[in-house]
Amino acid sequence: MNYKRGQICPKNPKVANMLNFFSNTHGISVRTFVLCPFLCAITTPFLWAQKKEKIKFTPYFVAAESFESVGVIDVNNDGKPDLVSGDFYYLNEGDAKTIFRKRHRLGDQPAFAEYFDDFSTIPIDVNKDGRMDFVTGGWFGETLRWHENPGTNEEWPAHEIAKVGNVETVRAWDLDNDGQVEIVPNTPNSPLHYFKLEGPGKFVRYEVGDYKSHGIGFGDINGDGKGDFIVKNGWIENKGNNQWVFHPDFDMGEHASIPIIVTDLNGDGKNDLIAGTAHDYGIYWYEQQVSADGKRSFKKHLIDDTASQYHELVWTDITGDGKPELITGKRYRAHNDGDPGAHDDVGLYYFTWDGKSFTKNIIAYGPPGVGKGTGIYMQVADLRDSGRKDIVVAGKDGLWVFFNEGLQ
């Protein structure tokens, strides 16, 4: 930048004030044409970072239901994302004032005390009829099932896939890189297995091994191009052809989150792990390290220990800078009143990563009814075609959308 003698930086009033302080208030004989380029250079990036520091969210109430799972599914093939949660789906007709207000019943999810036996909403066209169905599972009924989208306002028939044991929740990953996701129930009291859709309505079960874990993730740990399973006390190496080898290289405790995130946080070419403590305090990241002799280990780093029940995590870009953020929160009444911190305030957060550490940002926090807790399966998606990803959270404290209004 070139400035004339005595000219104040015209586009940066804060710099102008600083210059006036130096040149006028104290009579220091430093010319503004010297100081201005320097101060603009050091101050403008800081001020720009301040402007872009946080996302503004608009909370939007959808329903006072207590289902803990929600999916984003185009129910009627009109090109707009709708919401499916528990017994209902909520239509998106493109009107910002009435979005998700039109509700239709799709069935009756089994209820057990305070829980509904509906712990995921995974969109998949199971019967290949061009309409999106969804897969869910339940702890109490011990079944994995899919609900068929009839294409009308009628209820969605439920079809049992298999008896699998207690289902904490279900996830979908492309395990064999064929472009089709496999269905992976997290069954803490039963061996690890997954299901592959091998024809319309035909799921085939594959066993991984006798690994019982509250907490599961999937990603390439050893850099061989094949995704591995991560459980609470180690990782299960994918040798190909459904052959698996367990490595007890870490221990996340009794109850890890679902999912456990697999990503290279520090850019060293090795994937690290992010995991919450699902039924106690704390969320952590685990730095993968490999010694000169090839021994693999994971160094534990604290992200936050002020909240409990970090049960559900999403890792995706919501700021629009091309880098993922961590979206999570306290699962409201995860074990009803049985977990440490059960009576603390509830919160929904996103954490930004700067290459060295995480920074916590509050989306909604306070007592129940003021703050917002999570359930067991939430979604992050662009619901209004705004180019920004919104956050959809179901839980025992209701179904809400937090519309992303961009960086403020």
Side-chain angles (χ1 to χ4, degrees):
M1 300 179 187
N2 293 316
Y3 293 92
K4 296 179 181 179
R5 183 175 304 222
Q7 179 183 356
I8 299 300
C9 185
K11 295 183 179 180
N12 199 327
K14 291 195 176 183
V15 173
N17 290 336
M18 293 172 69
L19 290 168
N20 285 328
F21 174 82
F22 278 113
S23 61
N24 297 327
T25 306
H26 290 263
I28 297 175
S29 60
V30 178
R31 299 298 186 183
T32 59
F33 74 94
V34 175
L35 279 173
C36 191
F38 171 71
L39 290 174
C40 283
I42 64 171
T43 309
T44 300
F46 172 72
L47 296 174
W48 180 246
Q50 279 188 317
K51 288 180 183 178
K52 297 183 67 174
E53 188 176 7
K54 291 187 179 181
I55 302 173
K56 178 183 177 183
F57 290 97
T58 298
Y60 183 82
F61 172 76
V62 178
E65 304 290 347
S66 57
F67 306 104
E68 292 193 84
S69 176
V70 60
V72 176
I73 300 173
D74 183 0
V75 169
N76 53 5
N77 286 344
D78 66 352
K80 301 185 198 63
D82 308 303
L83 304 183
V84 176
S85 181
D87 291 346
F88 304 97
Y89 64 88
Y90 305 82
L91 289 179
N92 176 1
E93 296 183 322
D95 185 342
K97 293 182 179 180
T98 62
I99 190 170
F100 308 131
R101 293 294 184 226
K102 189 169 287 186
R103 181 170 78 166
H104 297 270
R105 179 175 287 276
L106 62 81
D108 290 290
Q109 299 292 357
F112 297 85
E114 288 193 37
Y115 297 93
F116 288 93
D117 222 20
D118 172 39
F119 292 138
S120 68
T121 314
I122 297 173
I124 183 170
D125 184 2
V126 175
N127 55 0
K128 306 299 182 184
D129 65 353
R131 294 187 294 269
M132 200 61 73
D133 315 298
F134 71 90
V135 173
T136 186
W139 179 272
F140 302 95
E142 302 186 8
T143 61
L144 191 67
R145 61 188 186 273
W146 68 280
H147 287 257
E148 181 181 356
N149 182 348
T152 65
N153 289 336
E154 299 174 356
E155 293 192 1
W156 297 29
H159 305 274
E160 184 175 307
I161 298 171
K163 288 284 187 183
V164 296
N166 303 119
V167 178
E168 183 72 16
T169 183
V170 188
R171 289 300 182 269
W173 293 295
D174 183 1
L175 304 182
D176 52 11
N177 294 322
D178 67 349
Q180 173 70 52
V181 296
E182 281 70 52
I183 302 299
V184 185
N186 182 212
T187 51
N189 300 320
S190 301
L192 178 58
H193 56 276
Y194 63 90
F195 291 84
K196 188 173 181 65
L197 183 62
E198 298 191 351
K202 181 184 178 183
F203 284 98
V204 177
R205 178 172 177 160
Y206 292 87
E207 301 295 333
V208 176
D210 191 19
Y211 310 109
K212 299 173 182 177
S213 171
H214 185 301
I216 194 165
F218 183 79
D220 186 3
I221 293 296
N222 57 353
D224 65 355
K226 296 188 290 289
D228 311 297
F229 280 114
I230 295 85
V231 291
K232 65 182 183 181
N233 58 341
W235 63 285
I236 308 168
E237 182 181 358
N238 184 353
K239 291 290 191 179
N241 298 317
N242 202 44
Q243 300 299 307
W244 306 88
V245 176
F246 179 65
H247 301 272
D249 291 341
F250 54 82
D251 189 343
M252 296 177 174
E254 186 65 24
H255 300 108
S257 59
I258 305 106
I260 299 165
I261 303 295
V262 182
T263 186
D264 181 5
L265 277 174
N266 54 8
D268 65 355
K270 299 184 292 293
N271 275 333
D272 310 299
L273 307 174
I274 307 172
T277 308
H279 297 289
D280 208 328
Y281 284 91
I283 185 168
Y284 305 87
W285 74 277
Y286 297 78
E287 180 183 1
Q288 183 178 169
Q289 300 176 331
V290 180
S291 64
D293 62 359
K295 180 176 174 57
R296 198 178 311 275
S297 62
F298 290 80
K299 183 178 180 180
K300 185 177 180 179
H301 301 269
L302 176 67
I303 298 175
D304 179 63
D305 62 359
T306 64
S308 70
Q309 299 166 307
Y310 280 117
H311 202 290
E312 155 78 336
L313 316 179
V314 177
W315 179 247
T316 190
D317 178 17
I318 59 171
T319 60
D321 64 355
K323 297 179 290 186
E325 284 74 43
L326 175 63
I327 302 97
T328 184
K330 175 183 176 177
R331 182 183 171 197
Y332 177 57
R333 295 183 63 78
H335 281 165
N336 302 327
D337 295 328
D339 287 340
H343 298 291
D344 295 349
D345 287 350
V346 295
L348 181 67
Y349 318 103
Y350 73 95
F351 293 80
T352 55
W353 169 257
D354 65 4
K356 295 181 179 179
S357 62
F358 283 94
T359 299
K360 184 178 183 179
N361 299 274
I362 294 173
I363 300 171
Y365 178 80
V370 177
K372 179 69 180 91
T374 74
I376 206 164
Y377 192 91
M378 64 180 175
Q379 295 291 294
V380 179
D382 184 355
L383 300 176
R384 302 173 297 176
D385 197 25
S386 67
R388 299 181 297 271
K389 293 179 182 177
D390 310 299
I391 301 173
V392 193
V393 190
K396 292 176 181 175
D397 55 354
L399 176 60
W400 287 75
V401 174
F402 291 84
F403 287 118
N404 183 344
E405 308 298 354
L407 294 160
Q408 303 290 311

mmCIF file of all heavy atoms in Angstrom, residues 79-94:
data_model
loop_
_atom_site.group_PDB
_atom_site.id
_atom_site.type_symbol
_atom_site.label_atom_id
_atom_site.label_comp_id
_atom_site.label_asym_id
_atom_site.label_seq_id
_atom_site.Cartn_x
_atom_site.Cartn_y
_atom_site.Cartn_z
ATOM 1 N N GLY A 79 -37.216 -33.360 -4.720
ATOM 2 C CA GLY A 79 -35.931 -32.690 -4.753
ATOM 3 C C GLY A 79 -35.611 -31.878 -3.516
ATOM 4 O O GLY A 79 -34.531 -31.274 -3.450
ATOM 5 N N LYS A 80 -36.514 -31.862 -2.534
ATOM 6 C CA LYS A 80 -36.280 -31.097 -1.308
ATOM 7 C C LYS A 80 -36.080 -32.055 -0.136
ATOM 8 O O LYS A 80 -36.805 -33.045 -0.003
ATOM 9 C CB LYS A 80 -37.446 -30.158 -1.013
ATOM 10 C CG LYS A 80 -37.756 -29.142 -2.088
ATOM 11 C CD LYS A 80 -38.854 -28.205 -1.626
ATOM 12 C CE LYS A 80 -39.499 -27.456 -2.760
ATOM 13 N NZ LYS A 80 -40.181 -28.338 -3.734
ATOM 14 N N PRO A 81 -35.133 -31.741 0.750
ATOM 15 C CA PRO A 81 -34.874 -32.621 1.894
ATOM 16 C C PRO A 81 -35.959 -32.502 2.960
ATOM 17 O O PRO A 81 -36.273 -31.407 3.432
ATOM 18 C CB PRO A 81 -33.526 -32.134 2.424
ATOM 19 C CG PRO A 81 -33.448 -30.706 1.978
ATOM 20 C CD PRO A 81 -34.202 -30.606 0.686
ATOM 21 N N ASP A 82 -36.548 -33.633 3.318
ATOM 22 C CA ASP A 82 -37.546 -33.701 4.382
ATOM 23 C C ASP A 82 -36.891 -34.308 5.630
ATOM 24 O O ASP A 82 -35.756 -34.795 5.584
ATOM 25 C CB ASP A 82 -38.731 -34.560 3.932
ATOM 26 C CG ASP A 82 -39.285 -34.122 2.580
ATOM 27 O OD1 ASP A 82 -39.667 -32.941 2.460
ATOM 28 O OD2 ASP A 82 -39.302 -34.937 1.634
ATOM 29 N N LEU A 83 -37.612 -34.304 6.742
ATOM 30 C CA LEU A 83 -37.122 -34.898 7.978
ATOM 31 C C LEU A 83 -37.944 -36.127 8.316
ATOM 32 O O LEU A 83 -39.172 -36.128 8.178
ATOM 33 C CB LEU A 83 -37.210 -33.901 9.136
ATOM 34 C CG LEU A 83 -36.514 -32.557 8.966
ATOM 35 C CD1 LEU A 83 -36.650 -31.722 10.234
ATOM 36 C CD2 LEU A 83 -35.054 -32.729 8.583
ATOM 37 N N VAL A 84 -37.259 -37.180 8.768
ATOM 38 C CA VAL A 84 -37.921 -38.395 9.240
ATOM 39 C C VAL A 84 -37.420 -38.662 10.645
ATOM 40 O O VAL A 84 -36.214 -38.776 10.879
ATOM 41 C CB VAL A 84 -37.616 -39.597 8.323
ATOM 42 C CG1 VAL A 84 -38.240 -40.866 8.892
ATOM 43 C CG2 VAL A 84 -38.108 -39.340 6.903
ATOM 44 N N SER A 85 -38.363 -38.749 11.593
ATOM 45 C CA SER A 85 -37.980 -38.965 12.982
ATOM 46 C C SER A 85 -39.081 -39.722 13.701
ATOM 47 O O SER A 85 -40.217 -39.242 13.790
ATOM 48 C CB SER A 85 -37.723 -37.621 13.683
ATOM 49 O OG SER A 85 -37.318 -37.814 15.025
ATOM 50 N N GLY A 86 -38.743 -40.905 14.196
ATOM 51 C CA GLY A 86 -39.696 -41.682 14.976
ATOM 52 C C GLY A 86 -40.923 -42.075 14.190
ATOM 53 O O GLY A 86 -40.838 -42.720 13.137
ATOM 54 N N ASP A 87 -42.088 -41.668 14.682
ATOM 55 C CA ASP A 87 -43.362 -42.043 14.069
ATOM 56 C C ASP A 87 -43.779 -41.129 12.927
ATOM 57 O O ASP A 87 -44.845 -41.358 12.324
ATOM 58 C CB ASP A 87 -44.484 -41.995 15.124
ATOM 59 C CG ASP A 87 -44.346 -43.086 16.173
ATOM 60 O OD1 ASP A 87 -43.565 -44.033 15.949
ATOM 61 O OD2 ASP A 87 -45.021 -42.981 17.220
ATOM 62 N N PHE A 88 -42.968 -40.111 12.619
ATOM 63 C CA PHE A 88 -43.440 -39.082 11.691
ATOM 64 C C PHE A 88 -42.386 -38.699 10.661
ATOM 65 O O PHE A 88 -41.188 -38.864 10.885
ATOM 66 C CB PHE A 88 -43.842 -37.816 12.466
ATOM 67 C CG PHE A 88 -44.876 -38.046 13.528
ATOM 68 C CD1 PHE A 88 -44.502 -38.232 14.853
ATOM 69 C CD2 PHE A 88 -46.220 -38.098 13.210
ATOM 70 C CE1 PHE A 88 -45.446 -38.453 15.843
ATOM 71 C CE2 PHE A 88 -47.181 -38.321 14.186
ATOM 72 C CZ PHE A 88 -46.792 -38.498 15.499
ATOM 73 N N TYR A 89 -42.888 -38.155 9.534
ATOM 74 C CA TYR A 89 -42.010 -37.408 8.650
ATOM 75 C C TYR A 89 -42.590 -36.008 8.459
ATOM 76 O O TYR A 89 -43.796 -35.784 8.598
ATOM 77 C CB TYR A 89 -41.766 -38.115 7.316
ATOM 78 C CG TYR A 89 -42.962 -38.314 6.411
ATOM 79 C CD1 TYR A 89 -43.352 -37.337 5.492
ATOM 80 C CD2 TYR A 89 -43.683 -39.509 6.431
ATOM 81 C CE1 TYR A 89 -44.438 -37.528 4.647
ATOM 82 C CE2 TYR A 89 -44.761 -39.716 5.580
ATOM 83 C CZ TYR A 89 -45.136 -38.712 4.691
ATOM 84 O OH TYR A 89 -46.198 -38.914 3.848
ATOM 85 N N TYR A 90 -41.691 -35.063 8.191
ATOM 86 C CA TYR A 90 -42.016 -33.648 8.149
ATOM 87 C C TYR A 90 -41.595 -33.102 6.789
ATOM 88 O O TYR A 90 -40.402 -33.128 6.449
ATOM 89 C CB TYR A 90 -41.288 -32.902 9.272
ATOM 90 C CG TYR A 90 -41.560 -33.469 10.647
ATOM 91 C CD1 TYR A 90 -40.860 -34.582 11.119
ATOM 92 C CD2 TYR A 90 -42.526 -32.911 11.478
ATOM 93 C CE1 TYR A 90 -41.116 -35.115 12.374
ATOM 94 C CE2 TYR A 90 -42.783 -33.433 12.739
ATOM 95 C CZ TYR A 90 -42.077 -34.543 13.179
ATOM 96 O OH TYR A 90 -42.328 -35.074 14.426
ATOM 97 N N LEU A 91 -42.551 -32.597 6.023
ATOM 98 C CA LEU A 91 -42.291 -32.201 4.651
ATOM 99 C C LEU A 91 -41.682 -30.805 4.548
ATOM 100 O O LEU A 91 -42.031 -29.890 5.293
ATOM 101 C CB LEU A 91 -43.584 -32.245 3.832
ATOM 102 C CG LEU A 91 -44.141 -33.639 3.521
ATOM 103 C CD1 LEU A 91 -45.430 -33.527 2.733
ATOM 104 C CD2 LEU A 91 -43.116 -34.481 2.765
ATOM 105 N N ASN A 92 -40.792 -30.679 3.594
ATOM 106 C CA ASN A 92 -40.178 -29.415 3.230
ATOM 107 C C ASN A 92 -40.794 -28.992 1.892
ATOM 108 O O ASN A 92 -40.480 -29.565 0.852
ATOM 109 C CB ASN A 92 -38.668 -29.588 3.096
ATOM 110 C CG ASN A 92 -37.948 -28.351 2.615
ATOM 111 O OD1 ASN A 92 -38.556 -27.308 2.376
ATOM 112 N ND2 ASN A 92 -36.641 -28.469 2.461
ATOM 113 N N GLU A 93 -41.674 -28.004 1.938
ATOM 114 C CA GLU A 93 -42.348 -27.566 0.721
ATOM 115 C C GLU A 93 -41.761 -26.274 0.162
ATOM 116 O O GLU A 93 -42.349 -25.642 -0.714
ATOM 117 C CB GLU A 93 -43.845 -27.403 0.996
ATOM 118 C CG GLU A 93 -44.510 -28.734 1.362
ATOM 119 C CD GLU A 93 -46.002 -28.633 1.565
ATOM 120 O OE1 GLU A 93 -46.453 -27.605 2.133
ATOM 121 O OE2 GLU A 93 -46.709 -29.565 1.144
ATOM 122 N N GLY A 94 -40.595 -25.897 0.685
ATOM 123 C CA GLY A 94 -39.877 -24.770 0.136
ATOM 124 C C GLY A 94 -40.252 -23.419 0.695
ATOM 125 O O GLY A 94 -39.625 -22.411 0.357
#
